[in-house]
Amino acid sequence: MLQYILLSEVRINDDLRRNFPGFRISLEDLFEPNNPFMSKSKEEAIRNYSCGYYIREVLKKENFRISFSASEILPLTFNVREIERLSDLCNYGKVSNGIKDLKKMGIINFEQFVYARKVVDPFSGKEVEKVREKRAAFYINDFESMMSGLRKYALTEGFWKRNLGERIRKQLFPIKDCLNEIARESKEVYEIAKRWYKKKGSFEGLLEEEFLII
């Protein structure tokens, strides 16, 4: 990513304070070396936040319809991709609404994490399968998927204009390689975590060693 796009730590913290007043979120909260759902270092957190921030600012500049919740959490989602952890940082309602909107826009993607196990029915005494579904994590879409998603969203919502896609693509092209790298990393972690959840029903015990194959 071009260096001029990178934000300073001060600017990131100012953006966080403006969007999440009262929650006291700072850059230091956006990375954990041993959490595969988060940026692993301050440098990576700055890179990822800057990427999400830049996408948000381009969309706002082009008058792309984006909800307040989606706009506020967009840069955060490039650093924190576990929904429970993201909700701990700010507000569950904002996160819940925001990630649904970001998925509709094609910026992130997720499916329901499904966990099934055998339990004994208290009435019949027979074993039955109990299925639990949860929106547990998500991943960032790559550049082309994101461009396609934004176009589809704008068409569906009725505000697509001539050359809008070309203008957005041109402005986001400088971060294409960076975006694709973040997308690849987040998708690989997501797929491994999804398999883990299917076996265990939670992320408990999900160790860093599980991610050495990446």
Side-chain angles (χ1 to χ4, degrees), residues 10 82 166 178 196 204 208:
V10 171
E82 182 187 359
E166 289 79 0
C178 175
W196 177 275
E204 185 177 353
E208 181 69 14

Side-chain angles (χ1 to χ4, degrees), residues 29-174:
D29 298 307
L30 305 186
F31 63 93
E32 291 181 11
N34 296 320
N35 187 334
F37 295 104
M38 297 179 67
S39 297
K40 291 181 171 55
S41 67
K42 179 180 286 188
E43 292 74 22
E44 185 177 310
I46 290 174
R47 179 201 70 171
N48 291 5
Y49 196 95
S50 298
C51 189
Y53 177 94
Y54 186 70
I55 292 171
R56 182 184 71 190
E57 294 308 298
V58 167
L59 295 180
K60 288 167 66 176
K61 177 184 174 183
E62 293 297 335
N63 295 317
F64 197 95
R65 292 181 191 170
I66 177 171
S67 69
F68 285 117
S69 294
S71 175
E72 289 166 348
I73 72 167
L74 199 164
L76 276 184
T77 61
F78 275 66
N79 282 291
V80 185
R81 296 179 296 273
E82 182 187 359
I83 294 173
E84 185 174 346
R85 181 73 179 97
L86 192 59
S87 299
D88 288 341
L89 287 176
C90 47
N91 175 278
Y92 176 78
K94 188 186 294 290
V95 169
S96 180
N97 292 328
I99 63 168
K100 286 188 290 186
D101 291 339
L102 290 175
K103 181 180 181 181
K104 290 178 184 177
M105 295 167 64
I107 293 175
I108 68 171
N109 201 6
F110 60 83
E111 302 169 9
Q112 295 287 83
F113 278 39
V114 179
Y115 170 57
R117 63 188 177 95
K118 297 289 186 179
V119 297
V120 177
D121 183 271
F123 299 103
S124 67
K126 298 179 180 179
E127 276 196 343
V128 296
E129 190 171 67
K130 184 176 182 181
V131 178
R132 176 187 180 191
E133 294 188 0
K134 184 178 182 181
R135 288 181 299 166
F138 55 88
Y139 61 91
I140 308 298
N141 275 328
D142 62 32
F143 183 80
E144 292 301 334
S145 297
M146 194 175 293
M147 293 303 99
S148 176
L150 290 171
R151 182 179 186 277
K152 181 178 179 181
Y153 178 79
L155 285 168
T156 302
E157 295 297 315
F159 65 91
W160 182 258
K161 297 180 181 179
R162 184 182 178 187
N163 297 328
L164 176 60
E166 289 79 0
R167 292 197 306 271
I168 292 175
R169 174 181 287 272
K170 183 177 180 180
Q171 292 175 80
L172 295 185
F173 192 80

Side-chain angles (χ1 to χ4, degrees), residues 35-38 40 81 181-193 195 206-214:
N35 187 334
F37 295 104
M38 297 179 67
K40 291 181 171 55
R81 296 179 296 273
E181 183 177 353
I182 295 171
R184 177 187 59 79
E185 293 169 353
S186 68
K187 181 67 178 296
E188 289 175 342
V189 170
Y190 175 89
E191 292 296 341
I192 294 170
R195 292 197 296 270
L206 186 60
L207 304 177
E208 181 69 14
E209 284 77 8
E210 287 291 317
F211 293 85
L212 293 179
I213 64 172
I214 293 178

